[in-house]
Amino acid sequence: MTLLVTGGAGFIGANFVLDWIAAVGEPVVNLDKLTYAGNLANLASLAKDARHVFVQGDINDRALVAGLLAKHRPRAVVHLAAESHVDRSIHGPADFIATNVVGTFSLLEEARAHWTALAEPDKAAFRFLHVSTDEVYGSLGPHDPAFSETTPYAPNSPYSASKAGSDHLVRAYHHTYGLPTLITNCSNNYGPYQFPEKLIPLMIVNALAGKPLPVYGDGQNVRDWLYVGDHCTAIRAALQRGRPGEVYNIGGAAEMKNIDLVRTLCATLDSLRPCAAGSYADLIAFVKDRPGHDRRYAIDARKIRSELGWAPAESFVSGLRKTVQWYLDHGDWIAGVQSGEYRKWIDLNYGNRESQIANR
Ligand code: NAD
Ligand code: TYD
């Protein structure tokens, strides 16, 4: 009984592998290319654990994937490998197409070949679980109902369009070939090991360094936040109890405007690591907006709650406090990811976003 996990050295993937080995104990083969977002330090606690086999490689390397499937005979593929940052997709979409669309296609082809040759009961028990995002559904108005599994797709960024393309391929492989797939569409995650290019860790890292906290546009964009540990338990539930061919939306019913989130984050930091100069909120700076910035995301998670009995364990307040404490306790990890490549990205993305009105 083995899982093949892709992207298991990234933020959600590493949390998933750690959670899976702790909670279920089954071995994991972890295929990850180790892009800028992949980090073996996330998996340091498994360094001597025989249940974790790490393989550095690309999901587009079909011979490698075929070899791993033949050798380890996993009962499921949990596919998290992706290019995942909207701002990077705006600056350079090509990698998003190569990994998210073509990479998912490559993985599906190899999984299909492997699955077709399986004998029962292994064939019926096999699963291909594709981890996706709520961003495929596009942007909501302030009074629109939250995204459900039947909301039409309307992706707006190169990132969300590439994820939408991959979701469609997974759906087609179930419909056409009968591959036992599952798709999960989750809202914004936060928690330990998140690369400091995404909103919450970027704000924590900047605040601790006394740097401006760059809020895009008017700060009124809404995201629906979920603690990463709760995403991991939802993936586990979908893998263990989900019905092949189904889609499950995952979210924590924690909608928040970005500016309110950043202010709450600053208040949390003020209480856990007071700064002599006043409040961290003094560092908030409104900057030029992201092109095509989706206004609001919200997830209707009633299906996974009622069908699979999943519910998040953390509230936004408890999850945020845990997350801030984790970053405060892991200065070495933060220093380790702030490479030259990271500084180049910060210059590229923020260099020409002239600060507009401070502390709006
Ligand atoms: P991440 O960017 O932190 O990690 C992605 C991982 O994939 C990295 O370890 C990277 O090295 C690896 N990778 C990239 N290209 C690869 C390739 N060609 N072959 C093999 N490995 C490759 O991303 P994340 O935030 O952990 O997201 C994981 C998945 O969850 C993605 O599919 C993303 O779309 C989805 N998702 C993320 C969120 C979120 O809020 N972060 C929310 C919903 C869904
Ligand atoms: P992000 O973490 O990039 O996730 P996504 O774009 O996938 O939702 O951004 C979350 C929200 O925070 C989004 O509305 C953009 C905004 N944001 C900022 O205001 N400033 C920043 O520096 C970043 C990275 C994001």
Side-chain angles (χ1 to χ4, degrees):
M1 299 292 257
T2 297
L3 292 190
L4 174 60
V5 173
T6 70
F11 161 51
I12 301 171
N15 276 284
F16 177 77
V17 169
L18 294 167
D19 171 82
W20 181 265
I21 288 183
V24 182
E26 268 179 26
V28 169
V29 177
N30 182 352
L31 173 62
D32 195 297
K33 187 177 173 181
L34 295 181
T35 67
Y36 78 92
N39 185 354
L40 282 180
N42 301 351
L43 299 159
S45 62
L46 296 176
K48 295 199 174 86
D49 194 322
R51 293 172 298 180
H52 179 236
V53 176
F54 182 77
V55 179
Q56 182 172 4
D58 194 319
I59 53 170
N60 274 306
D61 182 343
R62 302 233 338 225
L64 174 64
V65 172
L68 292 175
L69 289 167
K71 179 174 174 194
H72 297 282
R73 305 186 61 76
R75 69 179 178 100
V77 175
V78 180
H79 176 34
L80 296 116
E83 289 292 337
S84 68
H85 188 33
V86 173
D87 291 319
R88 287 190 193 249
S89 82
I90 294 168
H91 286 279
D95 286 349
F96 288 73
I97 305 305
T99 287
N100 300 359
V101 183
V102 184
T104 300
F105 164 72
S106 303
L107 201 59
L108 280 166
E109 276 293 87
E110 292 310 324
R112 178 166 76 92
H114 172 74
W115 169 78
T116 304
L118 289 177
E120 297 295 356
D122 293 350
K123 189 169 185 183
F126 188 80
R127 294 289 180 271
F128 184 103
L129 191 153
H130 176 61
V131 176
S132 192
T133 167
D134 60 355
E135 304 195 22
V136 297
Y137 299 120
S139 183
L140 293 169
H143 306 297
D144 288 340
F147 302 131
S148 77
E149 289 80 359
T150 55
T151 301
Y153 273 35
N156 289 318
S157 72
Y159 164 65
S160 54
S162 68
K163 291 297 291 188
S166 64
D167 292 10
H168 290 324
L169 285 169
V170 175
R171 177 192 157 89
Y173 272 63
H174 175 74
H175 191 82
T176 304
Y177 304 113
L179 186 70
T181 62
L182 297 152
I183 300 177
T184 57
N185 292 92
C186 188
S187 62
N188 286 62
N189 283 213
Y190 65 98
Y193 305 112
Q194 189 168 29
F195 193 76
E197 62 183 359
K198 307 279 168 61
L199 180 69
I200 290 180
L202 180 101
M203 295 294 172
I204 297 173
V205 165
N206 279 17
L208 294 177
K211 292 185 178 160
L213 307 181
V215 175
Y216 295 165
D218 62 5
Q220 301 295 306
N221 303 68
V222 173
R223 296 293 183 265
D224 190 349
W225 295 92
L226 185 72
Y227 186 69
V228 65
D230 286 324
H231 189 184
C232 294
T233 61
I235 296 172
R236 208 165 359 111
L239 196 57
Q240 290 169 330
R241 300 189 293 284
R243 287 180 292 140
E246 291 294 316
V247 175
Y248 295 95
N249 280 2
I250 305 169
E255 280 187 65
M256 214 168 306
K257 290 178 180 160
N258 289 341
I259 186 61
D260 295 337
L261 185 157
V262 174
R263 292 210 167 104
T264 305
L265 180 57
C266 289
T268 308
L269 272 168
D270 285 337
S271 77
L272 293 175
R273 174 74 58 88
C275 83
S279 170
Y280 290 100
D282 299 338
L283 296 168
I284 293 173
F286 289 88
V287 301
K288 194 168 157 200
D289 209 352
R290 167 190 284 173
H293 194 175
D294 283 340
R295 196 64 173 166
R296 174 176 166 239
Y297 302 144
I299 277 278
D300 175 347
R302 278 178 294 180
K303 180 176 172 182
I304 190 167
R305 282 175 179 261
S306 64
E307 269 192 27
L308 305 186
W310 171 86
E314 299 291 344
S315 69
F316 184 72
V317 172
S318 66
L320 187 69
R321 209 177 163 82
K322 269 192 183 177
T323 302
V324 170
Q325 191 61 58
W326 187 87
Y327 281 88
L328 289 174
D329 293 343
H330 291 82
D332 288 355
W333 185 91
I334 295 175
V337 299
Q338 291 181 316
S339 62
E341 202 280 340
Y342 177 75
R343 288 191 295 274
K344 267 193 224 155
W345 164 251
I346 296 295
D347 285 348
L348 178 69
N349 194 45
Y350 298 96
N352 65 357
R353 283 181 200 268
E354 71 289 356
S355 190
Q356 293 173 337
I357 313 155
N359 289 313
R360 184 184 299 198

